[in-house]
């Protein structure tokens, strides 16, 4: 009798072990849940690219199948001097994506911010043309066939839809936009080319974005998609406004990507909207209300907001190529220091301890109910 009980216990343990192993092999994740809908991406810091934190690295590989470099491919890092490129970190970023079979997005080729100081000082149109040709051709050619899509131009519009008076516009006029897309396409004809901006879901800026796209196409430029950064808030923009933008951009024959998704839960000074990294404001206690933790009531609001957004994304999954979060976890988020330094924000699906939040569960439940 004792021997029989022993074998029964042993058999039970074997079955349990097998079930647990099967569960581990079928771990539910964002990338697997949405694999038939669109890519799920994240922005990687330099430390994450170099795999310096084992737990972060494990989370990235488990949850995401697309990556964007948070900073290291911006011109101040990639092209620090006129006759010098530094590809060391970019090479590691590409290698990381290839090793993990991820969609690799290049961010960004032409942007007025985070420029190397020598670029901002260019005043002559011929010199600017030569810079753009060398910069875009060198970088895109180097990673030809290895990068899946590029932000060719980033944030070229003002909030009213007019063109920003950047160093590129001031030297070349609006032609620089056409030239940038032509140069990128010539360097890698097969890579997808995007225009990327914040608040370009808002009506005035959206119309300016549509006008810009039409000018690029009319000038012979190749443009495959629009990136909506999606630095959003708990109450705005409305789901209707976001949907109108998806439909408007898709109607132009373009892919739509949500490229830098995060949702601030903190109050904004003077009702600030947007993502201009050059804006900063002095802080006070009222502007940093959740220093220790996020109250459950706000966790629920954040979860409901993410659920509404992803419900819309699933509705239009045939038009959306990629949804990328701007950071892996709350502790990494740029919103802890913008537009007020030293605050504690909670804009992503994972907390600073890498644990999934209510918002994560709300997004995942959408797939459970749809299947």
């Amino acid at each position: 009798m004792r021997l029989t009980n022993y074998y029964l216990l042993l058999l039970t343990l074997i079955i349990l072990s097998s079930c647990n192993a099967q569960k581990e092999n079928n771990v539910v994740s964002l990338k697997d849940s949405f694999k038939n809908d669109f890519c799920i991406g994240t922005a990687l810091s330099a430390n994450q690219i170099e795999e310096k934190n084992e737990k972060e690295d494990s989370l990235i590989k488990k949850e995401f199948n697309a990556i964007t470099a948070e900073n290291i491919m911006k011109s101040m890092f990639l092209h620090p001097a006129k006759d010098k490129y530094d590809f060391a970190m970019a090479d590691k970023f590409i290698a990381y994506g290839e090793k993990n079979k991820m969609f690799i997005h290049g961010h960004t080729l032409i942007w007025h911010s985070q420029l190397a100081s020598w670029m901002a000082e260019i005043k002559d149109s011929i010199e600017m043309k030569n810079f753009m040709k060398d910069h875009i051709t060198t970088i895109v050619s180097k990673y030809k066939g290895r990068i899946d899509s590029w932000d060719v131009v980033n944030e070229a519009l003002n909030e009213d839809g007019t063109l920003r008076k950047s160093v590129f516009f001031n030297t070349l006029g609006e032609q620089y936009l056409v030239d940038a897309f032509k140069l990128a396409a010539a360097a890698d004809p097969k890579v997808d080319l995007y225009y990327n901006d914040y608040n370009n879901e808002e009506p005035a800026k959206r119309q300016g974005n549509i006008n810009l796209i039409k000018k690029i196409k009319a000038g012979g430029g190749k443009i495959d998609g629009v990136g909506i950064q999606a630095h959003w808030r708990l109450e705005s923009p409305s789901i209707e406004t976001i949907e109108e933008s998806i439909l408007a951009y898709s109607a132009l024959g373009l892919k739509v990507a949500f490229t830098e998704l995060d949702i601030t839960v903190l109050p904004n000074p003077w009702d600030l909207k947007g993502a201009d990294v050059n804006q900063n404001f002095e802080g006070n206690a009222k502007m940093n209300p959740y220093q220790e933790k996020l109250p459950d009531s706000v966790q629920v609001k954040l979860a409901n907001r993410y659920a509404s957004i992803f419900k819309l994304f699933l509705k239009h999954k045939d038009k959306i190529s990629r949804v990328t979060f701007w950071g892996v976890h709350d502790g990494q988020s740029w919103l802890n220091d913008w537009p007020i330094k030293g605050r504690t924000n909670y804009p992503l699906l994972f907390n600073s301890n890498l644990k999934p939040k209510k918002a994560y569960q709300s997004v995942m439940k959408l797939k459970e109910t749809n299947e």
Side-chain angles (χ1 to χ4, degrees):
M1 190 69 177
R2 287 178 185 173
L3 193 60
T4 302
N5 287 342
Y6 170 78
Y7 282 118
L8 282 172
L9 177 61
L10 183 62
L11 180 61
T12 301
L13 289 172
I14 291 170
I15 292 170
L16 286 173
S17 176
S18 175
C19 289
N20 287 336
Q22 191 171 2
K23 283 181 182 177
E24 288 177 7
N25 290 333
N26 295 298
V27 174
V28 178
S29 67
L30 287 167
K31 70 177 184 182
D32 291 330
S33 294
F34 291 88
K35 66 184 178 181
N36 296 322
D37 306 312
F38 36 72
C39 290
I40 296 285
T42 189
L44 299 184
S45 68
N47 284 343
Q48 288 163 344
I49 290 166
E50 293 189 311
E51 303 178 70
K52 290 189 175 181
N53 184 310
E54 187 176 336
K55 288 183 178 179
E56 282 188 356
D57 191 52
S58 177
L59 180 66
I60 292 162
K61 292 171 181 176
K62 172 179 175 282
E63 298 288 344
F64 305 103
N65 56 13
I67 52 171
T68 303
E70 193 175 35
N71 277 303
I72 57 95
M73 296 190 83
K74 293 170 182 174
S75 60
M76 66 183 291
F77 301 106
L78 210 56
H79 197 173
K82 188 174 182 178
D83 56 352
K84 179 186 177 185
Y85 285 90
D86 185 351
F87 291 114
M89 281 302 301
D91 286 348
K92 291 180 180 180
F93 168 72
I94 303 299
Y96 183 95
E98 290 177 336
K99 178 177 69 174
N100 295 297
K101 297 180 172 59
M102 293 171 161
F103 183 98
I104 302 170
H105 181 70
H107 177 74
T108 175
L109 295 169
I110 298 296
W111 187 30
H112 68 275
S113 190
Q114 289 186 259
L115 287 172
S117 57
W118 69 273
M119 297 175 189
E121 294 168 3
I122 298 174
K123 306 295 183 188
D124 179 73
S125 62
I126 294 175
E127 186 180 357
M128 180 59 79
K129 279 187 175 182
N130 290 336
F131 154 70
M132 283 185 55
K133 183 176 182 180
D134 178 71
H135 182 79
I136 294 173
T137 304
T138 300
I139 296 169
V140 177
S141 296
K142 176 175 172 58
Y143 296 117
K144 180 179 180 181
R146 301 178 68 194
I147 282 186
D148 297 291
S149 61
W150 275 105
D151 287 333
V152 179
V153 179
N154 197 49
E155 300 176 6
L157 294 168
N158 295 313
E159 295 305 289
D160 63 358
T162 59
L163 289 171
R164 185 191 294 271
K165 301 300 190 289
S166 66
V167 64
F168 308 106
F169 181 89
N170 290 339
T171 52
L172 297 175
E174 64 184 39
Q175 183 62 33
Y176 88 88
L177 294 155
V178 177
D179 291 344
F181 280 87
K182 281 184 172 180
L183 288 165
D188 187 348
K190 294 183 179 179
V191 71
D192 275 357
L193 304 179
Y194 280 73
Y195 172 76
N196 190 58
D197 213 327
Y198 60 85
N199 284 357
N200 53 342
E201 73 281 347
E202 297 290 349
K205 198 167 186 177
R206 181 203 307 150
Q207 188 56 53
N209 201 158
I210 290 169
N211 294 340
L212 180 153
I213 291 161
K214 289 179 178 178
K215 287 176 183 176
I216 291 169
K217 287 188 169 185
K222 172 183 178 285
I223 179 167
D224 301 287
V226 172
I228 298 174
Q229 289 185 14
H231 296 296
W232 291 336
R233 297 155 293 283
L234 287 172
E235 287 83 24
S236 62
S238 69
I239 293 299
E240 292 76 18
T241 297
I242 300 168
E243 183 170 32
E244 287 167 3
S245 298
I246 295 171
L247 294 172
Y249 293 133
S250 178
L252 297 173
L254 301 181
K255 299 175 184 178
V256 180
F258 293 89
T259 57
E260 305 180 19
L261 177 60
D262 50 28
I263 299 172
T264 182
V265 299
L266 300 183
N268 283 328
W270 307 316
D271 294 323
L272 175 73
K273 291 183 178 180
D276 188 336
V277 296
N278 296 312
Q279 296 182 87
N280 282 284
F281 301 89
E282 292 298 323
N284 59 52
K286 288 183 179 179
M287 289 291 164
N288 192 23
Y290 314 127
Q291 294 184 51
E292 299 301 322
K293 67 174 185 176
L294 192 63
D296 283 345
S297 60
V298 186
Q299 290 270 20
V300 170
K301 286 182 181 178
L302 183 66
N304 290 339
R305 177 66 165 155
Y306 265 115
S308 296
I309 289 167
F310 268 81
K311 187 176 180 181
L312 177 67
F313 291 170
L314 286 171
K315 179 181 177 182
H316 294 292
K317 62 185 181 180
D318 60 317
K319 305 171 187 69
I320 296 171
S321 58
R322 176 171 50 94
V323 176
T324 291
F325 294 88
W326 204 242
V328 177
H329 59 86
D330 287 342
Q332 174 192 357
S333 175
W334 71 298
L335 290 171
N336 293 312
D337 285 316
W338 184 92
I340 298 170
K341 289 189 179 296
R343 295 200 297 177
T344 306
N345 213 325
Y346 305 82
L348 299 168
L349 299 189
F350 298 93
N351 66 23
S352 56
N353 294 319
L354 310 184
K355 300 298 182 183
K357 294 154 60 177
K358 281 186 173 71
Y360 176 90
Q361 305 299 341
S362 73
V363 169
M364 295 296 280
K365 281 179 182 176
L366 291 174
K367 292 302 296 182
E368 292 174 13
T369 55
N370 285 346
E371 292 178 355

